[in-house]
């Protein structure tokens, strides 16, 4: 039976699964233009490979969290959680913090930035509350 904690963790990780599957199935092509717009010094083909690799990274990290959660292996789940935290921090820095003045204007960039901060907080709380409660994923 699915516990409340397992259900909550699954919902949090679902976003990364959907994003990773999308990047992999499109071979990174859908998100490449946005990535190149933020880092114009990257050639488009290299940017597409990076986006594709990011999708694989998201899937691996998400899989580690889910595997650790459902198999009571907090070490695997912890590694996956730190991977997604790092991924989200990097994505936030690339897509939403430069130029920094965009954060103080109304619009998508500010809310996407805040949404990513919330996701980072959720992943961190998942680590500190769920995975270390009784030393196994609850």
């Amino acid at each position: 039976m699915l516990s409340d904690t397992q259900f909550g963790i699954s919902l949090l990780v679902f976003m990364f699964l959907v994003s990773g599957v999308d990047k992999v199935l499109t071979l990174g092509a859908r998100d490449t233009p946005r990535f190149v717009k933020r880092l114009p010094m990257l050639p488009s083909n290299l940017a597409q490979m990076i986006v594709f690799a990011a999708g694989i990274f998201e899937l691996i990290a998400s899989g580690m969290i889910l595997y650790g959660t459902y198999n009571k292996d907090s070490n695997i789940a912890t590694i996956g959680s730190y991977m997604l935290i790092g991924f989200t921090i990097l994505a936030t820095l690339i897509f939403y913090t430069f130029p920094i003045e965009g954060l103080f204007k109304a619009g998508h960039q500010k809310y996407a930035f805040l949404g990513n901060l919330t996701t980072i907080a959720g992943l961190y709380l998942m680590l500190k509350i769920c995975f270390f409660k009784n030393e196994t994923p609850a």
Side-chain angles (χ1 to χ4, degrees), residues 7-123:
F7 180 69
I9 289 171
S10 297
L11 287 178
L12 183 59
V13 171
F14 183 69
M15 172 180 66
F16 293 100
L17 287 171
V18 170
S19 175
V21 166
D22 183 61
K23 286 177 180 81
V24 169
L25 290 180
T26 64
L27 301 176
R30 184 173 299 151
D31 294 321
T32 297
R34 198 172 82 137
F35 189 46
V36 169
K37 183 177 178 184
R38 297 304 295 172
L39 298 172
M41 73 290 285
L42 281 179
S44 185
N45 59 344
L46 176 60
Q48 186 171 346
M49 286 191 289
I50 292 170
V51 171
F52 177 75
I56 292 172
F57 187 86
E58 284 179 284
L59 291 174
I60 290 170
S62 298
M64 291 172 72
I65 292 170
L66 293 175
Y67 175 85
T69 298
Y70 289 92
N71 291 289
K72 307 277 188 223
D73 187 338
S74 62
N75 291 329
I76 294 290
T78 297
I79 293 167
S81 298
Y82 279 120
M83 288 170 66
L84 285 184
I85 289 170
F87 176 85
T88 307
I89 289 170
L90 185 60
T92 303
L93 290 173
I94 291 170
F95 290 105
Y96 302 117
T97 58
F98 301 110
I100 195 74
E101 65 269 6
L103 294 177
F104 301 105
K105 296 178 183 174
H108 169 74
Q109 187 171 351
K110 176 171 67 174
Y111 296 112
F113 175 82
L114 293 173
N116 279 14
L117 284 183
T118 303
T119 300
I120 292 165
L123 289 166

